Amino acid sequence: MQNLQINPQRLWDMLMETAAFGGTPKGGVCRLTLTDLDAKVRDWFKAECEKVGCTVRIDEVGNMFALRPGRRNDLPPIAMGSHLDTQPTGGKFDGILGVLGGLEVLKTLHDLGYETNAPVMLVNWTNEEGSRFAPAMLGSGVFAGVFDRAYADSREDRNGVSFKDAIEAIGYRGEVPAGAVELGAMFELHIEQGPILEAEGKTVGIVKGVQGMRWYEATVIGKEAHTGSTPMNLRRDALVGTAKLIEAVNAVALAHPGAVGTVGLIESKPNSRNVIPGEVFFTIDFRHPEAPVLDVLEADFAAAVAKIAEATGLEITWKRIWDSPPVAFHPDLIEAVREGAAVAGLPAREIVSGPGHDAAYIARVCPTTMIFVPSKDGISHNEAESTTFDECGAGAQVLLNAVLTYDRRFAA
Amino acid sequence: MQNLQINPQRLWDMLMETAAFGGTPKGGVCRLTLTDLDAKVRDWFKAECEKVGCTVRIDEVGNMFALRPGRRNDLPPIAMGSHLDTQPTGGKFDGILGVLGGLEVLKTLHDLGYETNAPVMLVNWTNEEGSRFAPAMLGSGVFAGVFDRAYADSREDRNGVSFKDAIEAIGYRGEVPAGAVELGAMFELHIEQGPILEAEGKTVGIVKGVQGMRWYEATVIGKEAHTGSTPMNLRRDALVGTAKLIEAVNAVALAHPGAVGTVGLIESKPNSRNVIPGEVFFTIDFRHPEAPVLDVLEADFAAAVAKIAEATGLEITWKRIWDSPPVAFHPDLIEAVREGAAVAGLPAREIVSGPGHDAAYIARVCPTTMIFVPSKDGISHNEAESTTFDECGAGAQVLLNAVLTYDRRFAA
């Protein structure tokens, strides 16, 4: 195995070539799912896979499966995969590295005429980002049975175009029923989208799972009034109450190691310089790798809300709108990644994914894990997203090593 | 003087009649300045004034001056006035009560054939609200020399229509140069737009002046990052810093009796549930009747900013964008209002205006004061704005009494 080396220059060239499908002046990519630009990169992807002897099948929600046969084609394939769609002001690496890294693995195996035991497969999952059609991870979600096809078809973008119409317009509605392709395992290479690897000087993240995540919406009702004529003691300022709640979210997360808590969205009404805010809506995002800790975060926040409502006389309502349980990846695949990084001589650390990924849904139907490489300054979902030439190459190399390590068990 | 009584029913009927020019389903009024609806109420106003023997002149920024001659027409007139324009979702009383209360005074004098010593004048000031053309109090501001006509003409609404085009379109560009009309004094009757009179059970506010007001804009720069993948200790969350600043504004105002401090407008970027806010813009409004206290509020806030910037590592910039010094009204007119309220047997208290008013600019060119009546729940700039039949009548009665009291000095 030590002799199989991916070609980092070829990988980098593919990253730069595909970045032109939706490239932005600031060096990012705007390639929303199921648009004409997405069709272009899908066509390109299909042709490249076929060049190296793969057969490409497409399922009914547009997921693309490129199969490279192995020695024992009775076995379900060892898959690699991620997504080629991007955020509206996305970067060149989020998702794309996982697909093109997998393509580089296929090209390397092809160049060397290497025959794996199990077949190897590369997947491009549809609509991971969710920025055109909510929710995110829709293609892998339908594949894993989290959603059904009718639900996916019904999703609409901001212009009222349905997923159904969009996928048919670009000709990527496949014949294969969703979930009909059997996977033996899946490795997803991805950029970290966070600052931990960079901060610790590690090149590889051995991803043990995905954090649990709970989303909440809160509304604070006070009383709208004129800023000039309403004495401080007669005010019920919804924004001052919200400020205390924002600090509470922050304090609750800080009090529990490994937890994160964020108020990402805030809307104050009427949002006028000379009117005391009468109503504020905001969102809360709590994450932790363990569900019991998520329960504690929620309870601590509830206590803070009660205290602040009591102290301020404001009416505070809130509810949990989404609960994504923690995902534990498969120990055998995690071990394969650890070995793959060690063989490549790359500094690695275990990590838990903060963001959700296709792998989180695929883990429900087959052994799954992920490989992370650093994101410069932790920046992602942003045109400034950056991972170096060497880091991209390292990721693809570990992906190859992990697939071959895992494939060894089928030697018999 | 005790024998002169205004007719509260006639006043109320006028309030309800004019509320139909731009009446909203929720019982408010949407009558933006210099629109066709504004033209309708202006035409109505002119006709009503002429019915009671007044001559109406219009100046070059649309201010309307209805003159009722007195015994000594060499004297400059004693004016009453306010504005007939409203906020987009305004009420039936803000500004309107001051104009129609003055019209009721003119009708009462006319009915009784009462001859004042000095002439009496009623003014409708253009664009007090500033919600179509910023800034507010534009007509009275040009009259008082704060702005010039060219500046007023250049103001544009959100559709790019200029003040110049709007005033010409409705035919209310008058011949009289702005500021050419001489005023001997002005009394402005207005709703309080705050909760103080109602809270204390007083019907009349004897307005001693207008608070000083300083407006600021602040920007907090942190670092935009993924909520799931960015540990608490590696974050620079601009919204958490802003929360501390909002609390600081509140605390600074609370620490100084008579002061108010408000963050009315907040805009967080990118304002997405799963992105740590990287930049927040917000406004601050500090008011107090004394300029030295405004200096202290500003210094205290500056100290809080420095402390919060130090503690959070956020980049916080802020600047003062507007400084409206406190206005002290004229003691002789204040005394006339006090006497007017006493003669009417109405419970009254001294008060300082929180909001700005046309009277604040007019005070620069002639003796001026204001009379306040209660606002239910302190609500204003809102369709729910409410002042009772009796309170409206009381306001007009005090206005009449104050004008006649002040007029006595010209008996000689």
Side-chain angles (χ1 to χ4, degrees), chain A residues 194-197 199, chain B residues 223 225 229-237 276:
Chain A
I196 298 172
L197 294 177
Chain B
K223 191 168 149 196
S229 53
T230 314
M232 298 306 284
N233 65 323
L234 295 178
R235 293 178 171 216
R236 285 196 295 129
D237 186 326
I276 297 164

Side-chain angles (χ1 to χ4, degrees), chain A residues 223-408:
Chain A
K223 190 166 151 198
E224 199 172 299
H226 197 293
T227 56
S229 52
T230 314
M232 298 305 285
N233 63 324
L234 295 178
R235 293 178 172 215
R236 286 196 296 129
D237 185 326
L239 187 57
V240 171
T242 301
K244 294 179 198 292
L245 292 163
I246 292 168
E247 292 210 69
V249 167
N250 199 56
V252 164
L254 278 169
H256 298 279
V260 289
T262 315
V263 174
L265 188 152
I266 181 170
E267 285 171 356
S268 182
K269 290 182 190 171
N271 220 31
S272 170
R273 291 167 198 265
N274 58 351
V275 184
I276 297 165
E279 182 175 335
V280 181
F281 170 87
F282 65 98
T283 64
I284 301 151
D285 172 326
F286 275 129
R287 306 193 194 199
H288 192 275
E290 297 160 31
V293 180
L294 288 167
D295 291 337
V296 174
L297 296 171
E298 187 171 303
D300 286 2
F301 179 67
V305 167
K307 202 171 150 191
I308 291 164
E310 165 93 29
T312 60
L314 295 163
E315 184 188 330
I316 307 171
T317 55
W318 60 291
K319 63 179 176 199
R320 193 204 292 170
I321 59 155
W322 191 37
D323 184 358
S324 175
V327 175
F329 285 143
H330 197 284
D332 294 353
L333 274 73
I334 294 170
E335 191 48 40
V337 172
R338 189 192 320 279
E339 193 175 324
V343 166
L346 292 164
R349 66 160 275 170
E350 291 186 351
I351 194 167
V352 174
S353 177
H357 290 289
D358 290 315
Y361 282 151
I362 302 309
R364 300 187 182 201
V365 292
C366 73
T368 301
T369 196
M370 297 185 74
I371 301 158
F372 277 177
V373 288
S375 294
K376 182 169 162 54
D377 296 329
I379 294 170
S380 181
H381 286 192
N382 191 304
E383 292 159 286
E385 185 179 278
S386 174
T387 298
T388 66
F389 178 100
D390 287 346
E391 290 160 347
C392 289
Q397 186 65 50
V398 174
L399 178 62
L400 171 63
N401 294 359
V403 167
L404 295 185
T405 299
Y406 191 72
D407 183 57
R408 281 204 304 252

Side-chain angles (χ1 to χ4, degrees), chain B residues 380-405:
Chain B
S380 181
H381 287 191
N382 191 305
E383 291 159 286
E385 184 180 279
S386 175
T387 297
T388 66
F389 178 100
D390 287 346
E391 289 161 348
C392 289
Q397 186 65 51
V398 175
L399 178 61
L400 171 63
N401 294 359
V403 167
L404 295 185
T405 300

Side-chain angles (χ1 to χ4, degrees), chain A residues 41-365:
Chain A
V41 78
R42 284 167 173 266
D43 293 346
W44 177 92
F45 172 71
K46 184 164 180 285
E48 290 293 309
C49 291
E50 287 169 350
K51 275 187 205 165
V52 291
C54 294
T55 313
V56 178
R57 299 169 76 198
I58 297 160
D59 77 8
E60 58 186 346
V61 291
N63 296 318
M64 302 175 72
F65 302 88
L67 183 70
R68 181 177 193 268
R71 194 172 57 80
R72 292 178 55 188
N73 291 312
D74 57 310
L75 292 171
I78 300 169
M80 308 173 285
S82 193
H83 59 94
L84 290 171
D85 68 322
T86 77
Q87 292 276 329
T89 52
K92 291 189 287 283
F93 303 95
D94 175 356
I96 304 161
L97 176 62
V99 178
L100 301 188
L103 183 54
E104 175 53 33
V105 168
L106 293 177
K107 289 188 176 192
T108 299
L109 294 175
H110 179 76
D111 287 353
L112 302 173
Y114 187 97
E115 186 174 46
T116 51
N117 297 306
V120 173
M121 182 172 267
L122 175 59
V123 191
N124 172 34
W125 300 107
T126 297
N127 189 36
E128 194 274 345
E129 293 293 358
S131 41
R132 182 176 180 194
F133 300 105
M137 303 177 281
L138 191 58
S140 53
V142 173
F143 181 86
V146 179
F147 314 117
D148 63 18
R149 170 184 156 168
Y151 175 78
D153 276 348
S154 72
R155 305 290 84 203
E156 289 188 358
D157 68 14
R158 288 188 189 175
N159 300 320
V161 178
S162 68
F163 182 97
K164 176 176 185 296
D165 290 344
I167 196 170
E168 288 170 5
I170 66 160
Y172 267 91
R173 170 84 83 195
E175 304 275 308
V176 181
V181 176
E182 197 189 355
L183 303 183
M186 188 181 86
F187 292 90
E188 181 171 5
L189 168 63
H190 207 283
I191 58 170
E192 179 195 345
Q193 301 183 268
I196 298 172
L197 294 177
E198 183 185 47
E200 298 191 4
K202 307 291 188 190
T203 307
V204 177
I206 302 160
V207 188
K208 295 186 67 182
V210 180
Q211 289 188 355
M213 182 179 348
R214 292 187 189 175
W215 279 8
Y216 306 84
E217 292 182 348
T219 303
V220 180
I221 311 251
K223 190 166 151 198
E224 199 172 299
H226 197 293
T227 56
S229 52
T230 314
M232 298 305 285
N233 63 324
L234 295 178
R235 293 178 172 215
R236 286 196 296 129
D237 185 326
L239 187 57
V240 171
T242 301
K244 294 179 198 292
L245 292 163
I246 292 168
E247 292 210 69
V249 167
N250 199 56
V252 164
L254 278 169
H256 298 279
V260 289
T262 315
V263 174
L265 188 152
I266 181 170
E267 285 171 356
S268 182
K269 290 182 190 171
N271 220 31
S272 170
R273 291 167 198 265
N274 58 351
V275 184
I276 297 165
E279 182 175 335
V280 181
F281 170 87
F282 65 98
T283 64
I284 301 151
D285 172 326
F286 275 129
R287 306 193 194 199
H288 192 275
E290 297 160 31
V293 180
L294 288 167
D295 291 337
V296 174
L297 296 171
E298 187 171 303
D300 286 2
F301 179 67
V305 167
K307 202 171 150 191
I308 291 164
E310 165 93 29
T312 60
L314 295 163
E315 184 188 330
I316 307 171
T317 55
W318 60 291
K319 63 179 176 199
R320 193 204 292 170
I321 59 155
W322 191 37
D323 184 358
S324 175
V327 175
F329 285 143
H330 197 284
D332 294 353
L333 274 73
I334 294 170
E335 191 48 40
V337 172
R338 189 192 320 279
E339 193 175 324
V343 166
L346 292 164
R349 66 160 275 170
E350 291 186 351
I351 194 167
V352 174
S353 177
H357 290 289
D358 290 315
Y361 282 151
I362 302 309
R364 300 187 182 201
V365 292

Side-chain angles (χ1 to χ4, degrees), chain B residues 146-403:
Chain B
V146 179
F147 313 117
D148 64 17
R149 169 182 159 169
Y151 175 79
D153 276 348
S154 72
R155 303 292 85 202
E156 289 188 358
D157 67 15
R158 287 187 188 176
N159 300 319
V161 177
S162 68
F163 182 98
K164 176 177 186 295
D165 290 344
I167 197 169
E168 288 170 4
I170 65 160
Y172 268 91
R173 170 83 83 196
E175 306 274 309
V176 181
V181 176
E182 197 188 355
L183 302 184
M186 188 181 86
F187 292 90
E188 181 172 6
L189 167 63
H190 207 282
I191 60 170
E192 180 195 344
Q193 301 182 270
I196 297 171
L197 294 177
E198 183 185 47
E200 298 192 4
K202 306 291 188 190
T203 307
V204 177
I206 302 160
V207 189
K208 296 186 66 182
V210 180
Q211 290 187 353
M213 182 178 351
R214 292 187 189 176
W215 281 7
Y216 305 84
E217 292 181 350
T219 302
V220 180
I221 311 249
K223 191 168 149 196
E224 199 174 299
H226 197 293
T227 56
S229 53
T230 314
M232 298 306 284
N233 65 323
L234 295 178
R235 293 178 171 216
R236 285 196 295 129
D237 186 326
L239 187 57
V240 171
T242 301
K244 294 178 197 293
L245 292 162
I246 291 168
E247 293 209 67
V249 167
N250 199 55
V252 164
L254 278 169
H256 298 279
V260 289
T262 314
V263 174
L265 188 154
I266 180 170
E267 285 171 357
S268 182
K269 289 184 191 169
N271 220 30
S272 170
R273 290 167 198 266
N274 58 352
V275 183
I276 297 164
E279 183 174 334
V280 181
F281 171 86
F282 65 98
T283 63
I284 302 150
D285 172 326
F286 275 128
R287 305 192 195 200
H288 192 275
E290 296 159 32
V293 179
L294 288 167
D295 291 337
V296 174
L297 296 172
E298 187 171 305
D300 286 2
F301 179 67
V305 167
K307 202 172 150 190
I308 291 164
E310 166 94 28
T312 60
L314 295 164
E315 184 189 329
I316 307 171
T317 54
W318 60 291
K319 63 179 175 197
R320 195 202 292 170
I321 60 156
W322 191 36
D323 184 358
S324 175
V327 175
F329 286 144
H330 197 283
D332 293 352
L333 275 73
I334 294 170
E335 191 48 42
V337 172
R338 190 192 319 279
E339 193 174 326
V343 165
L346 293 164
R349 65 161 276 171
E350 291 186 349
I351 195 166
V352 174
S353 177
H357 290 287
D358 290 315
Y361 282 152
I362 303 308
R364 299 186 181 201
V365 291
C366 73
T368 300
T369 195
M370 297 185 75
I371 301 159
F372 277 177
V373 288
S375 294
K376 182 169 163 52
D377 295 330
I379 294 170
S380 181
H381 287 191
N382 191 305
E383 291 159 286
E385 184 180 279
S386 175
T387 297
T388 66
F389 178 100
D390 287 346
E391 289 161 348
C392 289
Q397 186 65 51
V398 175
L399 178 61
L400 171 63
N401 294 359
V403 167

